[in-house]
Amino acid sequence: MHAWPAPEVPELPGHGPAVRLHDTAAQGLVPTPAAGAGEPARIYVCGITPYDATHMGHANTYLAFDLIQRAWRDAGHPVSYVQNVTDVDDPLLERAAATGQDWEALAESETALFREDMTALRILPPAHYVGAVESIPLVVDLVIKLLEQGAAYDVDGDVYFSVHADPTFGSVSHLDAEQMLATFAARGGDPGRPGKKHQLDCLLWMAGREDEPAWDPGDAGRAAGLRPGRPGWHIECAAIALEHLGMGLDLQGGGSDLAFPHHEMGACEAQVVTGKRPYAQTYVHAGMVGLDGEKMSKSKGNLVLVSKLRHAGVDPMAIRLALLAHHYRSDWDWTDADLESAQARLARWRAAVSRPDGVPADDVLAAVRDRIADDLDTPGALAVVDAWAARQEAADAAGAGPDAGSGSAPDGAQRNTAAPGQISRITDALLGVAL
């Protein structure tokens, strides 16, 4: 499966500082990446289940990990980034059945629209963009190994993972048993299924159901007792990440709703099957974007779609700025005022860099780098650029007539013909905002 085209990222002088991010497992800020100087920083971010278009919650999540890629590269680290597409799963099949569409055509069309949205928002693409369907042989191999190790078992043809086969189970999300059960049930788990050894054990391989797609597990899979079927959700990501990144990847990322059960269980599966730990050095989670007080989600239908805003003529850079105005870990509600404020900011910045000269901007690069390195403090980074734009406006207002651009800023600083270009490169390289 192919990703989307990569935007050009301007090179900036020097290197940015080490990036500190909030690690869900460590429950605090940690330096990232763990990779040594010159080594690729390995990042895996969970992708979409393509049964509806990209909403602001999606955009907020993938923007956060785009910023991390940019900050790591700016700090001198090459990045190896992998993202999946869950192109077969219950929600996709249910939507296809409800709308009378072919599930494969639905997945293909929504994945294509997602690519368009990511391209418009200038999100850096993954080096490997991998679908669940194409990864079935990888999943089967892991399921066989878990069965051989006694960490998986059969329930009426379905195969489940014994989560307590990993003694560190629970160390990613830090939920207690009651919270785990409630969250597992709310996020696709089946704690009440008869025959399971433990309520929290999760599905690795689902035997084929009538009128649903199923894949032959191959000779080795059949020998291990697998029936034709399809992958469970958690093992899908573990298999893809192990194949393309290996154990001990620098960062596992996604929305905060994935910390449990998805990231918890995927990590345990990988750790048990390889006998190594940790699966990931850092677990980073983006907050939830809501609308009218509720989390924005496809199931609730309360979606603000990137594609609809684009088709209505909204500049994608304004959408990006609206998201950047909120810290990536915060939960917040999308409003029309967010977009209006972002559009005004974009116009102000573009006006400020449109002149052939400007007030000095030498301090802006260090300040923006500092804010991004501090757990992606994008509101702080925007404030730095806002302050420069305000100085530029004040300098323009202080000048008079056609020669105002060659005058002095109110504080006596000389105008600088390179400043507008400097600002454009900074906002593009670090914030992904093309002016």
Side-chain angles (χ1 to χ4, degrees), residues 29 41 44 64 68 77 100 115 133 144 166 183 241 257 307 322 378 386 419-420:
L29 292 178
Y44 184 91
I68 293 171
H77 293 282
R115 291 190 189 100
V133 171
I144 292 171
D166 184 357
T183 306
D257 56 343
S307 55
T378 52
D386 284 342

Side-chain angles (χ1 to χ4, degrees), residues 385-404:
V385 182
D386 284 342
W388 178 85
R391 294 198 301 270
Q392 177 83 319
E393 291 170 358
D396 288 342
D403 296 326

Side-chain angles (χ1 to χ4, degrees), residues 19-67:
V19 181
R20 294 192 311 155
L21 297 170
H22 186 274
D23 179 8
T24 302
Q27 299 182 302
L29 292 178
V30 299
T32 66
E39 295 178 5
R42 296 170 296 153
I43 177 172
Y44 184 91
V45 177
C46 297
I48 61 167
T49 301
Y51 63 94
D52 211 336
T54 316
H55 59 69
M56 286 303 152
H58 291 137
N60 185 63
T61 294
Y62 298 116
L63 173 57
F65 298 102
D66 172 79
L67 293 171

